[in-house]
Amino acid sequence: MESAPGDASPATGAPRDYELLVPREWFRVDLMRDRWRSRLKTFVDRQSEGRNVSAELKRDVWATLRNTAEAGRARGAMEFFLLTISQDGGLPASLLVSLVPLGDTPADPEKYAAWLELREPEGAGRRQVSVVELTAGPAVRVLGAATLNVHVLMPGGVGYLTLSFASPLTGMAGPMERLCDAIAGSLRWVQ
């Protein structure tokens, strides 16, 4: 596992940064730097190297990752992690780390969970919303079939640090769910 630092907003009582332990197999892209597009390109090139991956698939993966990163940046994303183990060039898992200012978001995790729960559609695809206690503090955990979002309340009233995991190939169950929970559980604030 390696420690990945991020940036937190400087506010009274707010942490100046965070640390997150992510397995070494996960490729890190710092979305706060101008060269994030070239880092994504490097990832796509490495994934397709020595494999029978069509140029079309390579372009599709690049476009999907670029669009995900751009959309994430527009919503406060700071880091993008990509699991690099894949036989066919597909993307087994990813993690997008974002800072979500409080704004209209409830500062109390219980109220935030209830707010999110009200927005969940009825039916089989309904995600499970719960409040969990992590070492970094209280968090709202939202588990779907192929996603896990963990919204960790930041000290100092800054907002939530959101860890958005996606596992489209294997789904978010069993070992992948446990791995994502372990990564979220490793979050530490740097004062």
Side-chain angles (χ1 to χ4, degrees):
M1 297 266 209
E2 62 186 43
S3 178
D7 293 320
S9 298
T12 306
R16 64 178 172 80
D17 209 345
Y18 65 89
E19 292 180 341
L20 190 64
L21 294 177
V22 179
R24 292 186 193 280
E25 298 84 32
W26 292 54
F27 187 88
R28 179 179 179 263
V29 178
D30 183 346
L31 296 175
M32 304 296 286
R33 296 184 181 248
D34 289 336
R35 59 188 178 116
W36 67 267
R37 284 180 184 84
S38 66
R39 290 283 295 159
L40 277 180
K41 176 88 170 78
T42 298
F43 172 79
V44 172
D45 290 344
R46 283 186 190 171
Q47 282 297 98
S48 61
E49 193 173 280
R51 297 186 176 123
N52 190 17
V53 177
S54 70
E56 182 180 1
L57 176 59
K58 195 172 169 180
R59 277 191 306 274
D60 288 349
V61 169
W62 158 245
T64 299
L65 293 177
R66 184 198 62 228
N67 292 343
T68 300
E70 286 175 350
R73 281 175 45 100
R75 292 186 316 273
M78 300 176 290
E79 293 184 289
F80 194 16
F81 292 90
L82 304 157
L83 181 56
T84 59
I85 301 170
S86 175
Q87 298 303 317
D88 62 359
L91 184 64
S94 65
L95 163 61
L96 199 61
V97 181
S98 306
L99 173 61
V100 180
L102 285 181
D104 294 334
T105 307
D108 177 281
E110 293 287 341
K111 290 180 182 174
Y112 188 29
W115 185 75
L116 290 172
E117 183 78 32
L118 286 174
R119 284 153 181 74
E120 280 300 311
E122 293 297 325
R126 186 176 179 86
R127 298 179 305 170
Q128 300 170 2
V129 180
S130 61
V131 176
V132 296
E133 190 63 39
L134 301 178
T135 303
V140 178
R141 184 178 186 272
V142 184
L143 177 64
T147 61
L148 172 62
N149 295 326
V150 181
H151 309 274
V152 186
L153 183 62
M154 294 181 67
V158 175
Y160 287 89
L161 188 72
T162 298
L163 309 176
S164 299
F165 298 94
S167 182
L169 298 180
T170 63
M172 194 55 67
M176 184 57 72
E177 181 182 357
R178 288 190 296 276
L179 173 62
C180 294
D181 279 332
I183 292 171
S186 76
L187 178 67
R188 303 285 185 275
W189 303 115
V190 177
Q191 299 296 331

